[in-house]
Amino acid sequence: MGTLDYVWMGIQAVFQGPELFSIFGVSISVTLIMILGGFLTGIAVGATPGLAGPIAMAIALPILISVFGYTPDALLPVMGFLIGVMKGATIGGAVPAILFNTPGTPDAYMTTLDGYPMTKRGKAAKALRVAHFSSASGDTFSDIVLIVCAPFLALLVEAYLDLPEKTALLILSLSFIAAAIGGSPAKGLLSTGLGLLIAFVGTGEDFYPRLSLGSPMLNQGFPIATSVLGVLIIGAVFKEMETLWRQRQSRDIASDIRIEGDQRLHWADIRRLLPYVGRSAVIGTAIGALPGIGSTLAATLGYTVGRSRHARTKTEGRPDFGEGAPEGIAATEAANSSVSGANLIPVLSLGIPGNAAAVFLILAAESIGGFNPGPSVFRFTADTVNPELVIAFGLFTAMMIANLLNWTIGGVFMRSMGVMVRIPKHILLPAVLLLTLTAIYVQETRMEAIWFALGFGVLGYFMRVLAISPLPFVIAFILGGNLEESARQAFAATGGDPWFLFTSPIAALFMLASVGVIVFTARKTKERS
Amino acid sequence: MAGKSSSNLILGLCILIFAAVLLGVWIPADVQTGLIEKVRRQVTVGDALAPTVAGLFLLLSGVLLVTVERQAEGQPRLDLRNLGFTAGMVALIFVSLIVMRWSGPLAVGIVNVLGDGDLEYRLLRDTAPWKFLGYFVGGTLMISGCVAMVEGRIRLRAVLVSALAVLTMIAIYDLPFDDLILPPNGDV
């Protein structure tokens, strides 16, 4: 089995998977339809203020697993749908940002700065076209980088990192995520520490389930769905509801959008936008490849870099950034969209989720079984077929199909989604709450799970109130078990050497970097204050 | 929200106390093996090591909050009115879940009293309309209650929209799938 054989098998797994129907004798696989369904759902969800890709993924996952079951055949349809949602939500977020000055997703905030002024000038359709072109370009670039880099990174990890180095790498990832997210290393460490602690409740190798307080409820630990959905989704719903209650006013939404003049995107426009799209795509991809750093930072950096270029090169009469410059939309949308593909680099090559969407892909893989994201996926076995590698190339194929859909029908569908902003948020959010609780119950089928989720929701709410990012909590919760297992194996493999994390130069370097990144960001924080 | 606030200091002190209790009391009392164990002359990692690492993360976080980030700018200020609203919402959800849990058995009990029957909810929990009763009543109460709290008033339209939303969820989760069980029917 050569590399190209695996690539071809991955493509075949998508196109020749279980047939849903056929048109003129041509078989249409269920995976293709799921990618399309996920993509359209994602655009609609992204275009709805108050919803986001992870919410749709959380609600859809138990339904999808129920439809497709727990067999390896379910992996590509289910993960294809989730990838479609992830990509669709990225471009959907720009719609209300441009049309109504309301970002559909947090990373689309910078899009409002130039998108809404263009709408007020009667150029709404053109602004949407700019957003779509830039978003699709950034996304495609990022996916190509993912497809090229992830296998190489995984091969490097497998070739050079042994158990102690892998343990040290997990510690470095957690340390980096704690330091990088939210601008406060102390709060990042708090979130990470809580996530680890919760992951260790009710688990362990001894007969007694540790930290269970003798309670039968805690004997099996906290189900992954309750903690992840509780902190990420229910906590967000509580915070949003509180904000709505504080405002207690419905925002006026312009009922008529004026369309004036030429709305098409010409080749001259594209040539002018390309330098901005290119720079932002590189920025977004670089940021996305680092676990934990989100698309909002990428959008801000892309916009800032674009603005300084625009100030240098702008011709007389063209609007500045912040006054309706198409280049501003391009810089933002290319940056935040190019995060999504690159964010899967640490997931697929290291098994470390970098953002909320990646968390749900890992959840899907763990729930269904047969695919464990990490360096072992990319074992190019010559004599036997590595089914995980076929799935990995199937996922890459699914991403490229989603890109193709984005370039072809994405723009048209996106431009029709302006109506989603009219859904009242204060009715939508409680419905999302009940849907999330239901999604948890149908997976766990016990009321305890709902109580746990509610408790984690309260925790997630307080984390948001106290400006503590919940993402390190979720990532630490997911990685906690792997970290302990890896440490146990490394300790045993080194003959019980208590310094196993410091005896090899690479592991020692990772550990030094783990401490260094916390010290560096803490010093930066102190200087700022 | 932002402004001169000592929330980092208070949070840091709370975390330091929690980390001290975790490392000094909870882990020693509630984990059966130590940091390192010797089993059949083989040294292995004990169950206490991983929670201790988590505790050290919390301890370091508390130290940083109290020292380095004590004076950090833009510290959030806790607003008791907002917290009160969220506490009310959590209480509403709690009541809705209790209603969800007991509506079905209560309805069966009432039917038994009125009709002198001998029905048992446990045996009816896979039969429409009984199996939808708790989810419909509790779910409608949850959604319409949350809407009423945000709007500051109860509107019939909001209740109807909530009921419609719950019916849609029943249609999504229950009608197409035999193996999906709506709350609370999995463990009554």
Side-chain angles (χ1 to χ4, degrees):
Chain A
M1 294 290 295
T3 307
L4 286 177
D5 294 320
Y6 273 112
V7 174
W8 181 236
M9 285 175 78
I11 295 170
Q12 280 183 316
V14 171
F15 284 94
Q16 296 179 357
E19 179 186 303
L20 192 65
F21 57 86
S22 65
I23 302 172
F24 304 121
V26 178
S27 165
I28 304 294
S29 82
V30 69
T31 306
L32 286 176
I33 298 303
M34 293 310 293
I35 297 167
L36 173 67
F39 179 67
L40 298 181
T41 307
I43 295 179
V45 163
T48 310
L51 290 186
I55 293 180
M57 291 166 127
I59 293 166
L61 191 53
I63 298 176
L64 294 173
I65 290 176
S66 186
V67 172
F68 293 103
Y70 294 89
T71 63
D73 281 348
L75 280 167
L76 282 176
V78 172
M79 293 177 89
F81 185 89
L82 299 182
I83 284 171
V85 170
M86 183 178 81
K87 287 181 171 294
T90 309
I91 64 164
V95 177
I98 288 170
L99 298 183
F100 306 107
N101 206 21
T102 306
T105 48
D107 56 14
Y109 168 72
M110 306 299 279
T111 308
T112 61
L113 301 180
D114 290 284
Y116 191 58
M118 278 186 77
T119 297
K120 285 203 288 190
R121 286 210 315 268
K123 297 284 181 193
K126 182 156 190 164
L128 287 172
R129 283 194 169 93
V130 170
H132 174 252
F133 167 74
S134 316
S135 181
S137 305
D139 200 1
T140 308
F141 174 78
S142 176
D143 286 354
I144 292 168
V145 173
L146 162 75
I147 293 167
V148 172
C149 288
F152 282 109
L153 188 58
L155 290 174
L156 275 178
V157 167
E158 280 294 271
Y160 293 103
L161 304 191
D162 207 347
L163 287 166
E165 290 87 353
K166 283 179 182 167
T167 309
L169 181 63
L170 279 172
I171 294 172
L172 172 60
S173 306
L174 288 176
S175 171
F176 182 80
I177 288 163
I181 298 180
S184 159
K187 290 178 178 174
L189 282 171
L190 170 57
S191 188
T192 307
L194 284 175
L196 287 174
L197 181 63
I198 297 295
F200 297 139
V201 170
T203 55
E205 292 203 333
D206 193 63
F207 289 116
Y208 176 76
R210 67 183 164 197
L211 304 175
S212 59
L213 300 167
S215 159
M217 265 177 87
L218 297 177
N219 274 354
Q220 297 164 32
F222 295 103
I224 194 165
T226 63
S227 55
V228 172
L229 301 194
V231 168
L232 276 186
I233 312 290
I234 299 175
V237 168
F238 285 165
K239 188 72 183 76
E240 284 279 321
M241 291 290 285
E242 183 228 277
T243 308
L244 283 177
W245 171 75
R246 208 171 50 235
Q247 293 168 344
R248 203 182 271 189
Q249 73 224 7
S250 58
R251 296 182 64 171
D252 288 333
I253 293 164
S255 54
D256 291 317
I257 293 166
R258 191 165 48 92
I259 300 285
E260 279 179 10
D262 184 15
Q263 302 286 329
R264 284 179 301 172
L265 196 62
H266 299 281
W267 176 237
D269 295 319
I270 292 173
R271 261 198 326 210
R272 207 175 54 248
L273 296 176
L274 274 179
Y276 297 90
V277 171
R279 280 175 174 80
S280 286
V282 172
I283 290 169
T285 303
I287 285 178
L290 300 171
I293 307 184
S295 50
T296 307
L297 176 68
T300 311
L301 272 180
Y303 189 82
T304 310
V305 170
R307 185 171 52 195
S308 63
R309 183 183 193 278
H310 192 64
R312 286 196 314 272
T313 59
K314 164 176 107 77
T315 52
E316 193 70 28
R318 297 200 64 79
D320 283 323
F321 267 44
E323 293 174 358
E327 293 86 348
I329 300 173
T332 308
E333 285 299 314
N336 65 23
S337 300
S338 57
V339 168
S340 67
N343 244 315
L344 297 188
I345 293 175
V347 181
L348 290 175
S349 56
L350 307 173
I352 297 167
N355 64 357
V359 164
F360 285 103
L361 285 173
I362 285 194
L363 268 183
E366 279 196 3
S367 305
I368 297 168
F371 183 68
N372 299 302
S376 62
V377 165
F378 291 96
R379 281 203 188 111
F380 287 84
T381 47
D383 41 355
T384 53
V385 176
N386 174 4
E388 289 190 297
L389 188 53
V390 176
I391 295 292
F393 281 112
L395 291 178
F396 292 156
T397 309
M399 295 180 91
M400 295 320 281
I401 291 168
N403 283 332
L404 191 68
L405 291 170
N406 199 353
W407 281 108
T408 49
I409 60 169
V412 177
F413 192 72
M414 175 199 183
R415 288 193 289 279
S416 68
M417 281 291 109
V419 69
M420 299 304 283
V421 81
R422 294 178 196 284
I423 296 176
K425 211 170 167 180
H426 69 289
I427 296 177
L428 186 69
L429 286 170
V432 166
L433 175 72
L434 182 61
L435 264 175
T436 308
L437 291 175
T438 310
I440 290 167
Y441 189 87
V442 298
Q443 287 179 78
E444 299 294 329
T445 55
R446 55 188 177 128
M447 284 304 277
E448 282 166 11
I450 288 192
W451 298 122
F452 286 152
L454 198 56
F456 282 117
V458 173
L459 176 67
Y461 165 77
F462 276 107
M463 289 173 96
R464 284 167 174 85
V465 167
L466 294 167
I468 302 167
S469 169
L471 199 53
F473 174 94
V474 172
I475 294 173
F477 182 84
I478 288 173
L479 292 182
N482 293 347
L483 176 64
E484 186 180 22
E485 190 52 39
S486 171
R488 279 184 196 278
Q489 290 177 2
F491 187 71
T494 54
D497 178 6
W499 299 101
F500 70 94
L501 288 173
F502 301 94
T503 44
S504 105
I506 297 176
L509 187 71
F510 285 161
M511 292 305 292
L512 193 69
S514 307
V515 177
V517 73
I518 296 290
V519 172
F520 177 76
T521 46
R523 280 186 63 177
K524 282 271 175 202
T525 312
K526 189 163 177 80
E527 280 168 19
R528 274 204 308 269
S529 59
Chain B
M1 289 286 283
K4 191 82 178 165
S5 164
S6 54
S7 65
N8 276 7
L9 177 65
I10 297 167
L11 178 66
L13 289 173
C14 292
I15 294 303
L16 283 177
I17 293 168
F18 178 71
V21 171
L22 173 69
L23 294 169
V25 181
W26 192 7
I27 292 175
D30 208 17
V31 183
Q32 297 294 308
T33 55
L35 299 175
I36 305 286
E37 285 292 301
K38 200 163 186 178
V39 182
R40 294 182 183 177
R41 292 190 209 136
Q42 283 231 320
V43 187
T44 59
V45 170
D47 278 357
L49 185 65
T52 304
V53 171
L56 292 175
F57 267 75
L58 294 176
L59 193 69
L60 180 60
S61 144
V63 170
L64 286 176
L65 279 169
V66 170
T67 55
V68 178
E69 297 189 23
R70 184 179 183 163
Q71 306 285 339
E73 283 182 357
Q75 293 182 40
R77 195 187 295 272
L78 288 179
D79 184 334
L80 287 179
R81 279 187 70 222
N82 291 350
L83 293 183
F85 167 79
T86 308
M89 213 168 77
V90 172
L92 170 76
I93 294 165
F94 182 82
V95 171
S96 305
L97 290 172
I98 297 291
V99 169
M100 191 181 281
R101 170 67 182 82
W102 292 106
S103 288
L106 185 69
V108 170
I110 292 170
V111 168
N112 281 342
V113 169
L114 294 179
D116 201 22
D118 194 18
L119 299 173
E120 199 180 326
Y121 183 76
R122 209 176 151 70
L123 302 174
L124 295 169
R125 63 182 175 162
D126 198 25
T127 312
W130 302 102
K131 64 175 179 176
F132 301 130
L133 204 60
Y135 186 74
F136 178 75
V137 177
T140 306
L141 176 64
M142 189 186 294
I143 298 180
S144 57
C146 288
V147 173
M149 283 185 75
V150 172
E151 289 184 342
R153 59 187 172 145
I154 299 170
R155 286 187 306 143
L156 180 64
R157 188 166 166 265
V159 177
L160 292 176
V161 169
S162 305
L164 192 66
V166 178
L167 288 175
T168 309
M169 288 178 214
I170 290 172
I172 291 171
Y173 278 110
D174 192 82
L175 297 184
F177 309 114
D178 288 337
D179 56 336
L180 291 189
I181 301 170
L182 286 172
N185 297 325
D187 57 349
V188 284

